[in-house]
Amino acid sequence: MILRNALKSAIAAMLMLGAAGLATQARADAVDDIAKAGAINVGIFSDFPPFSSASADMSIKGYDIDVAQAIADSLKVKLNLVSVTGQNRIPYLTDKRVDILMSVGYSKEREQVIDFAAAYAPYYIAVIGPAELAVKGKDDLADKSIAVNRGTLEDTSLTEAAPSSADIRRFDNYNSVIQAFISGQTQLMVVGNDVGAQVLAKQEALKPEQKFQLLTSPSHIGLNKNEDRLKKAVNDAVAKMLTDGKLDESSKAWLKTPLNPDNLKD
């Protein structure tokens, strides 16, 4: 009897210790871990201009880096950039090898696994052409020659929008699309604003400009589920950048166009 009571007491003590451990675990969250480490680990694509890529001094710079740095500053910790790929970045997040992910497009499938902070970066598919060519909407694509990357979302969006008389010329990669446009083989091209920003920045003689958008799908910052404090900290940092004009400055510097808040709406 004495042995049985002692065994019961030992089991009860173990259960109490386990419950205490679980309670401590529940109280701890990503913000606590980040503060303790003195750094926030941010997953980025290291070769994704103009959002993130190596600069002349080999440091990673871009729109995403500006935002990531603002988040780190708001948390008063060091920014630690972690290179990820499209295949490993969600596992990196769920395994807590990174605290947040930049440039994550929202989808219902992803929402089953991770959470999303507010949209911070515009991603859209745009029609680009020389300033002298008058194109304001879909109807103006009639009888125009347009370069697009074959089989992409750009191709699908353009095919759905363009009048039947549009001359859609499909190429096998973005370099060919860009070359066709800047060499005058086509009057227009349809690309994402990430690709378009590079053309807008470099082709001063052609003076290309964005004519209008075919599709908008802004980028979010991804984080693990049930990290409400971290989500609020991220949202607050982005909101501050919107209010004080820093996000607009980054858009002008990297995307070569002022930030349109409407492009941050899903």
Side-chain angles (χ1 to χ4, degrees):
M1 178 68 71
I2 294 173
L3 181 60
R4 184 180 298 173
N5 289 337
L7 183 59
K8 286 181 178 179
S9 297
I11 291 171
M14 289 174 64
L15 290 173
M16 289 177 66
L17 285 171
L22 288 172
T24 301
Q25 214 173 21
R27 286 194 298 271
D29 66 5
V31 172
D32 293 329
D33 294 338
I34 290 166
K36 184 177 180 180
I40 182 169
N41 296 319
V42 179
I44 59 156
F45 294 125
S46 56
D47 187 18
F48 185 42
F51 294 96
S52 53
S53 60
S55 61
D57 63 4
M58 299 310 293
S59 64
I60 304 295
K61 294 182 180 178
Y63 186 100
D64 278 3
I65 311 308
D66 289 353
V67 177
Q69 186 64 62
I71 294 168
D73 291 345
S74 73
L75 292 168
K76 297 181 173 58
V77 295
K78 177 185 175 183
L79 173 61
N80 181 32
L81 299 174
V82 180
S83 180
V84 297
T85 67
Q87 290 71 42
N88 70 21
R89 63 180 181 159
I90 300 298
Y92 266 43
L93 178 63
T94 55
D95 291 345
K96 298 189 176 181
R97 297 175 67 174
V98 298
D99 300 301
I100 60 175
L101 293 172
M102 308 302 292
S103 289
V104 184
Y106 172 82
S107 72
K108 290 183 179 179
E109 291 76 20
R110 285 176 177 162
E111 193 179 32
Q112 300 300 311
V113 182
I114 66 172
D115 198 1
F116 295 85
Y120 75 99
Y123 179 79
Y124 50 85
I125 294 170
V127 176
I128 293 178
E132 63 184 18
L133 185 63
V135 173
K136 295 182 179 180
K138 299 175 184 178
D139 292 342
D140 294 326
L141 299 178
D143 302 317
K144 303 291 192 305
S145 56
I146 313 161
V148 69
N149 194 353
R150 187 192 318 274
T152 60
L153 185 58
E154 292 99 314
D155 187 358
T156 303
S157 300
L158 174 61
T159 301
E160 290 177 355
S164 59
S165 64
D167 179 14
I168 300 175
R169 302 183 188 178
R170 296 174 174 86
F171 297 86
D172 292 329
N173 54 64
Y174 288 111
N175 284 335
S176 297
V177 170
I178 293 168
Q179 286 302 314
F181 171 63
I182 65 177
S183 67
Q185 294 179 52
T186 64
Q187 297 166 284
L188 302 164
M189 71 174 183
V190 170
V191 292
N193 63 313
D194 51 345
V195 176
Q198 300 174 60
V199 178
L200 297 178
K202 295 177 181 178
Q203 299 300 320
E204 294 183 5
L206 187 61
K207 295 182 179 179
E209 63 181 14
Q210 293 180 11
K211 299 298 185 180
F212 66 96
Q213 297 174 21
L214 289 173
L215 177 146
T216 299
S217 180
S219 292
H220 294 255
I221 294 169
L223 65 160
N224 280 309
K225 286 186 173 296
N226 303 314
E227 295 292 355
D228 295 338
R229 287 178 64 206
L230 180 57
K231 184 174 182 177
K232 183 179 185 304
V234 169
N235 285 342
D236 287 350
V238 172
K240 184 176 185 298
M241 291 187 77
L242 270 169
T243 301
D244 64 19
K246 297 295 184 183
L247 210 57
D248 183 56
E249 290 177 13
S250 291
S251 182
K252 290 174 181 175
W254 299 108
L255 306 181
K256 305 305 175 185
T257 186
L259 181 68
N260 181 353
D262 287 343
N263 289 331
L264 298 182
K265 298 176 182 178
D266 285 299

